[in-house]
Amino acid sequence: MPIMSFGSQNINIITHKKAMTIRKLWKNPLKVGDRLHCYWNLVSKEKKKIFEAEVTDVKTLPFKEIKNNDKLAQEEGYIDAKDMVREFKKMYLNEISDDDLFQIIYFEKLDLDKWKGEKIDQKEMITQRADILFDTGKYDKSTLCYDAALRIDPSDVYLLNKQGDNLTRLNRFDEAIECYDKALAIEDDNEYIWNNKAIAMLNSGNVEEALKASDSALKANPDSAVVLYWRGFILEILSQFDQALEVYDKLLKIDDTNPEVWNARGNLLTDMDRAEEALESYDKALELCLDDSELDATAQNRKGNALMELLRFEEAIECYDKAISLEPHNTSFLLNKGVVLMELGNFAEAENIFTKVLAIDSSNDDARVLKMECLENM
């Protein structure tokens, strides 16, 4: 019973777009008619049977005849022959010589009712692979798996929604929206799918349509924290600041422990030139997000900006210093600190800051101009 293991580079195996593989010659070579029991990542925690197949053809060639064959390597799922050879050297611990024999194995996947071993739910298996790839950020591969699962069940709302999320991350917004629309034709009261459609519309630059989708999401669930958060953001982009503030305030009545909402509210109030109130929101965000360094750094920077608007320069520098301690190479934080130092007349210290920014990003024009201004005033 020959067993084969396939990994991420063999994603076309799972999605039924490929029915061949290349393996170093086994002690008992494969022959036409052999049955294959095929698994995903056989020696890992992700181990999962994916199909049974029957060998339909086998070609045995020395390594020297395949190691430069880009076409064959691409059929196997590699970028080119060099990529394939590099992976083979990882797979086969002993050095590969030109005379080592490899088999190019062609097979036909068998229908489930013809399997001799354990039978599986193929849709579930493919969906699991898709979800794992999605969660690890391999969106180009997960979209192929969601596609394959949808060929088995085109009306699965979960799959349509996940494929939409996946396509959104690939910036394929029109296709994502098409997936959401198919899902909504089945479940038109699903606020999560309406909200995901709104996000896709927003990312595609169609903000007015994003708001319409958000209207439908809100109608489905007026108290959904996720829907309200994104609705506030959409309204803010549309410069409907008062309505956005109402949404954030409603959201905080539902849950006042989310630092991201307090930070978003602070950003909005800053745009509304309400610096004192913005400062209060940033303080609340900082109080709640001490375990989230990225948000903490951003909140410290935004608080510094609010303090700078209020001409409270020394306090602003304290905030920028805290942000920079968390993200030392963030040029935006450094530039902000440099500008405040200029306001305080500390041109030498500011010049050092702008020099550091240019060391990180030599093409930063703001830092170059500000550095020159500092030098003129020293």
Side-chain angles (χ1 to χ4, degrees), residues 171-203:
N171 297 326
R172 292 161 59 180
F173 301 119
D174 289 342
E175 294 170 79
I177 290 163
E178 186 179 340
C179 285
Y180 295 136
D181 284 340
K182 287 178 181 177
L184 289 166
I186 301 165
E187 288 187 15
D188 65 351
D189 61 347
N190 189 315
E191 75 263 26
Y192 298 108
I193 300 174
W194 277 116
N195 191 62
N196 288 340
K197 180 179 177 180
I199 295 169
M201 289 285 191
L202 179 66
N203 286 327

Side-chain angles (χ1 to χ4, degrees), residues 216-284:
S216 296
L218 196 68
K219 182 180 178 182
N221 187 351
D223 297 320
S224 168
V226 172
V227 170
L228 287 167
Y229 180 83
W230 280 100
R231 183 173 183 80
F233 188 65
I234 292 166
L235 288 165
E236 191 173 349
I237 289 176
L238 288 167
S239 297
Q240 297 182 29
F241 297 143
D242 290 332
Q243 295 94 319
L245 185 58
E246 287 178 13
V247 169
Y248 289 138
D249 285 343
K250 179 180 178 180
L251 185 49
L252 289 169
K253 285 179 182 177
I254 296 169
D255 177 13
D256 66 354
T257 63
N258 189 326
E260 291 189 11
V261 179
W262 283 107
N263 199 53
R265 186 177 185 271
N267 295 346
L268 174 61
L269 288 164
T270 299
D271 292 337
M272 296 171 75
D273 295 323
R274 292 162 64 175
E276 289 282 5
E277 294 170 84
L279 200 54
E280 292 174 7
S281 286
Y282 291 136
D283 280 337
K284 189 65 178 178

Side-chain angles (χ1 to χ4, degrees), residues 95-227:
E95 186 175 346
I96 304 173
S97 71
D98 280 352
D99 294 327
D100 284 341
L101 296 177
F102 282 74
Q103 287 196 309
I104 305 167
I105 303 154
Y106 298 88
F107 52 82
E108 180 182 355
K109 296 177 183 177
L110 298 173
D111 292 336
L112 198 64
D113 58 3
K114 294 182 180 178
W115 289 17
K116 292 181 179 178
E118 171 199 6
K119 293 179 172 57
I120 63 167
D121 182 329
Q122 285 195 300
K123 183 182 115 176
E124 179 189 12
M125 178 276 298
I126 294 172
T127 301
Q128 281 185 351
R129 297 306 97 199
D131 287 346
I132 289 170
L133 290 164
F134 179 87
D135 291 341
T136 54
K138 298 174 182 176
Y139 304 123
D140 55 335
K141 291 183 169 68
S142 53
T143 196
L144 297 174
C145 286
Y146 286 127
D147 240 3
L150 282 166
R151 285 199 294 273
I152 298 171
D153 186 356
S155 60
D156 187 306
V157 171
Y158 173 83
L159 288 170
L160 288 166
N161 184 51
K162 288 294 287 190
Q163 179 68 306
D165 292 349
N166 200 99
L167 291 165
T168 295
R169 284 160 174 78
L170 291 169
N171 297 326
R172 292 161 59 180
F173 301 119
D174 289 342
E175 294 170 79
I177 290 163
E178 186 179 340
C179 285
Y180 295 136
D181 284 340
K182 287 178 181 177
L184 289 166
I186 301 165
E187 288 187 15
D188 65 351
D189 61 347
N190 189 315
E191 75 263 26
Y192 298 108
I193 300 174
W194 277 116
N195 191 62
N196 288 340
K197 180 179 177 180
I199 295 169
M201 289 285 191
L202 179 66
N203 286 327
S204 69
N206 199 340
V207 189
E208 295 287 351
E209 289 300 315
L211 184 59
K212 290 179 183 178
S214 179
D215 288 342
S216 296
L218 196 68
K219 182 180 178 182
N221 187 351
D223 297 320
S224 168
V226 172
V227 170

Side-chain angles (χ1 to χ4, degrees), residues 38-57:
C38 300
Y39 288 80
W40 176 269
N41 289 335
L42 185 60
V43 295
S44 80
K45 63 181 180 181
E46 296 178 9
K47 171 187 172 183
K48 187 79 175 181
K49 186 173 183 178
I50 50 178
F51 60 82
E52 289 184 20
E54 185 175 292
V55 177
T56 57
D57 191 19

